[in-house]
Structures are given as structure tokens and as C-alpha cells.
Amino acid sequence: MDLKFLGRGAAFNVYERNTSAYFIENQTLFLIDCGESVFSTLIEKNILNDIHDVYILISHTHSDHCGSLGSLGLYCKYVKKIKMKLIIPHDSAYIHSLKLLMELFGNEDTYKFVYEEELDHRFINFEKVRYDLTSHTKDLHCYSFVFESKEGAVFYSADTNVVDNVVHFIDTYDNIATIYMEGTDLDIPDDVHLNIDKLSSVIPQHLHSCVYLMHIRNHACVEDAIKNGFQIVKI
């Protein structure tokens, strides 16, 4: 599964742009998260030029993961003459939060919901994608994503402060292609992000080279990742 990245920065790392990944298949854009910088990056890189359909996964409603969803929705409606498709899990609270967000953006008629299983066997890049509930901040529904593909399973953490999801992923799949993880150099109690050394301690050594760090806070995160044998996503 070939993911390209529009940005790899944490919320306050404006130099690296908001963390967001995508692929294009048969003039369809498949996008993971849509933070404040994402729409402008899509325009700057001419990524939307030949696109006829847009599918989006939103991990949670922090603005660095959904902040330009309104602009993208309006662009799809008025320029591309399409409705973007927001992929959703069977989680009424999460769905309600997305509906409220789109209402606040004034975008009630720019999108449609598509349940995750409706994408099964629709793309060459992956066969299935599933939302995987994780822990990030209190009272906010946050998700990681698990993709099943012919090349192997792919894990995309989005924002998390626990290793439970990736450990379960590793225990579940024998054939693992890539693990995309957020990580921070900070090691403080009750942090909402995942310490890189803690992540390293639960990843089997033979999988370290399959781990790609994203949502980078600063260069110290890059150094910690490399020290632990991880890769860094490239923009």
C-alpha cells in the first residue's frame, strides 16, 4: 500500500505541515485526515486537478486533523461538482461529532457518509480498512486505522497515547507491511502523545525497520526515531 504524505508535523509544528497521507487510484483521491494546512497543500501540489471522487478518513476532530475539511468540501461541491465521502465506523458519538463539525463549517450538503465496510474490495491499494478505537484525549473519540492489503497489513496510528492498538495489530497479523506511528520525544505523565522509547519497547526488533514515524514535534523526535531503528515518513 503506497501512501504519500502531505505533511508530517505535530499540531504546533507548522514547518512540517499537518500530518496527512493519501493515495490516488483511478482518479479517486483517498485521504487520511484533513488538518488546517491540508487543503492549501492539495491545491499547491495540483493534486485535485484530475480527481473525480474523494474519500476521507478522519481520525478525530482536533483541528490539525480536520481543520480544512470545510474548505475541501466546498471546493468539491463548487469546483469539482461532487460530494466528498466521509468514511465512518459504527459509532454514533463519532458520527454526531462529524455532523456537528460540518454544520459549523456550513457544509451540510457537501458530503455523504460511507460506512467502512462499504469500501471492502473497492480499491487496488487495500482490500479493507477498519477504524480502531484508541486513546488520545479525554472525552474525544479518536481512532487509528488498520488496512488489509495483498502486500500485507498496514497500521496507521493517527494520534494516540497508548501502545495497545499497535500491539494488538502485531499480534493479529502475520504479514505486516508498514506501521505508521505518531511519536514524541517527551516522557511526561498523562501525555496525550506516545513516547518513542515506549513505542520501541513493544515493537519486536525485526519490525523496527517497518515503522515510520509521523506527527513529528521537532528534530529531537527524528533523532529518537533513528536511534530506535525507525524510519521517518517523507513529504
Side-chain angles (χ1 to χ4, degrees), residues 19-80:
T19 298
S20 175
Y22 76 99
F23 67 80
I24 295 174
E25 184 176 307
N26 297 326
Q27 295 181 299
T28 294
L29 172 67
F30 190 97
L31 183 66
I32 304 175
D33 281 335
C34 190
E36 296 108 328
S37 68
V38 170
F39 177 69
S40 62
T41 306
L42 290 169
I43 296 297
E44 289 169 13
K45 294 182 177 293
N46 298 313
I47 291 172
L48 295 169
N49 285 8
D50 297 320
I51 294 301
H52 292 171
D53 213 353
V54 176
Y55 286 84
I56 307 173
L57 289 167
I58 298 294
S59 61
H60 61 292
T61 52
H62 279 159
S63 61
D64 63 314
H65 293 262
C66 68
S68 65
L69 197 57
S71 297
L72 180 56
L74 291 172
Y75 184 88
C76 286
K77 177 181 178 180
Y78 291 110
V79 178
K80 307 302 292 186

Side-chain angles (χ1 to χ4, degrees), residues 216-233:
I216 297 166
R217 190 176 76 89
N218 54 22
H219 190 68
C221 294
V222 175
E223 293 177 342
D224 275 5
I226 294 171
K227 178 190 71 176
N228 283 288
F230 298 150
Q231 312 293 318
I232 308 295
V233 300

Side-chain angles (χ1 to χ4, degrees), residues 94-204:
Y94 171 84
I95 294 169
H96 174 73
S97 68
L98 278 188
K99 283 182 177 178
L100 179 59
L101 177 69
M102 299 311 287
E103 288 175 9
L104 292 172
F105 280 146
N107 279 26
E108 297 94 327
D109 61 346
T110 66
Y111 71 97
K112 63 181 293 186
F113 284 140
V114 176
Y115 282 105
E116 54 191 354
E117 67 270 15
E118 294 180 55
L119 273 69
D120 290 2
H121 309 293
R122 293 278 300 274
F123 292 95
I124 296 171
N125 271 269
F126 67 87
E127 296 174 342
K128 295 181 181 179
V129 60
R130 291 295 184 266
Y131 276 74
D132 187 19
L133 188 65
T134 190
S135 172
H136 177 38
T137 60
K138 186 179 179 181
D139 301 326
L140 186 66
H141 283 223
C142 302
Y143 284 92
S144 299
F145 305 111
V146 175
F147 296 87
E148 295 181 7
S149 76
K150 294 177 181 178
E151 293 78 23
V154 175
F155 182 79
Y156 189 102
S157 73
D159 285 7
T160 185
N161 62 358
V162 295
V163 297
D164 307 47
N165 300 74
V166 70
V167 168
H168 181 259
F169 172 80
I170 291 169
D171 290 342
T172 301
Y173 292 95
D174 294 326
N175 183 17
I176 293 174
T178 316
I179 297 172
Y180 296 101
M181 292 297 307
E182 79 126 295
T184 180
D185 59 312
L186 298 177
D187 188 9
I188 55 179
D190 301 319
D191 195 355
V192 298
H193 296 291
L194 182 59
N195 176 261
I196 296 169
D197 291 334
K198 182 178 180 181
L199 171 65
S200 180
S201 70
V202 301
I203 303 288

